[in-house]
Amino acid sequence: MDKMADSSVPLTEVIAHRWSPRALDETREVTWDQLRALLEAARWAPSFGNTQPARFLAGRRGDPTFRQILGTLTERNQEWAHRAGALLVAIMLTRNEKGEIPYAEYGLGLATQNLVLQAVAEGLVAHQMAGFDADAVRERFAVPDGAVPRVAIAVGHAGDPAVLEVDKLIERERAARKRLPLGEFAHTGAWGTPAF
C-alpha cells in the first residue's frame, strides 16, 4: 500500500513515499544488509560540532535483542510491532569527554530521520514509537548514565491493513495522510503571514 505525500511541488521519492504504517508483513524479513544500510545512514547524519550523539540498539525478528526491545513497548504497540522485521531503540548521548553535548536531541532526530528515509530507499517502512519503557531499556541493555532512550522504531515491509483486525485501526491505516497546509506551516515577514 502506497500513501504518497500530497505536496504542492514534487518531492524526492524517499520523502514522498515515507509514512508510518502499523500493518507489517510478518512473512518477510529485514536482512542484515538492510539493517546495516539503515544504521550507516543514521551514522552519517549531521550533528552539532560533529558530536554524533546518536546510538542505536538493533535486533532482527527472532533474535534476543528483538524480543527484549519488544518487551519494553507498550501493550498497544506490541500488538502490531511483533510483525516487524527489526526493532530498534534510538538513544541520545547527553555527554562526551568534553562535557554536555549541545543539541543532542536534534542530532538524534536527524540520525533517526536518515534511518527512516534509508528504510524507504531499501523498500521498507519504519514506524517510530514513543510508547515504550525507557527505564526497562536502560536496565535490559545496561545503557550507561548520560545515554537517554528516546524512541523505539519498528522496521519492516508494509502489509495488508487487515492484519490489524480492528476496524478503527484498519480505517486509520488506509486513510489519506494529512499535514497542515503550507500557508500555515511556513511564514514570512511576520508570524501568520504565509510564505506561500
Side-chain angles (χ1 to χ4, degrees):
M1 190 162 103
D2 190 13
K3 291 172 60 162
M4 194 161 157
D6 181 15
S7 55
S8 62
V9 296
L11 300 175
T12 188
E13 285 204 29
V14 294
I15 294 173
H17 291 276
R18 187 224 56 82
W19 70 293
S20 304
R22 289 177 178 83
L24 301 173
D25 184 347
E26 65 186 323
T27 68
R28 299 181 68 189
E29 69 177 42
V30 172
T31 69
W32 279 114
D33 286 343
Q34 288 172 318
L35 189 54
R36 180 186 207 106
L38 270 57
L39 292 166
E40 277 290 356
R43 187 169 75 99
W44 284 98
S47 63
F48 177 86
N50 199 28
T51 49
Q52 303 176 54
R55 299 294 187 274
F56 292 86
L57 295 168
R60 291 175 63 231
R61 188 185 327 111
D63 75 21
T65 300
F66 182 99
R67 287 190 294 275
Q68 290 287 347
I69 293 172
L70 184 65
T72 70
L73 301 182
T74 62
E75 186 177 325
R76 187 172 170 188
N77 283 332
Q78 286 181 29
E79 288 172 359
W80 62 268
H82 69 276
R83 295 184 192 93
L87 289 175
L88 301 94
V89 177
I91 297 174
M92 171 185 72
L93 295 185
T94 59
R95 301 187 62 76
N96 63 16
E97 64 281 353
K98 295 178 184 176
E100 188 172 323
I101 298 175
Y103 305 105
E105 196 154 23
Y106 187 73
L108 179 63
L110 291 168
T112 302
Q113 181 68 2
N114 270 18
L115 183 148
V116 167
L117 293 177
Q118 185 65 37
V120 176
E122 297 287 325
L124 302 168
V125 293
H127 187 110
Q128 299 168 68
M129 300 167 276
F132 76 105
D133 185 338
D135 290 333
V137 169
R138 280 190 187 93
E139 182 181 318
R140 292 177 187 199
F141 294 100
V143 175
D145 292 341
V148 181
R150 296 300 294 157
V151 66
I153 308 161
V155 177
H157 295 270
D160 184 339
V163 301
L164 298 174
E165 298 180 341
V166 176
D167 288 342
K168 181 180 175 182
L169 298 177
I170 294 168
E171 289 171 23
R172 183 171 66 181
E173 195 80 356
R174 291 183 174 147
R177 294 167 58 197
K178 295 180 184 178
R179 289 292 187 269
L180 289 173
L182 194 56
E184 292 179 30
F185 181 81
H187 309 269
T188 189
W191 190 268
T193 304
F196 297 95

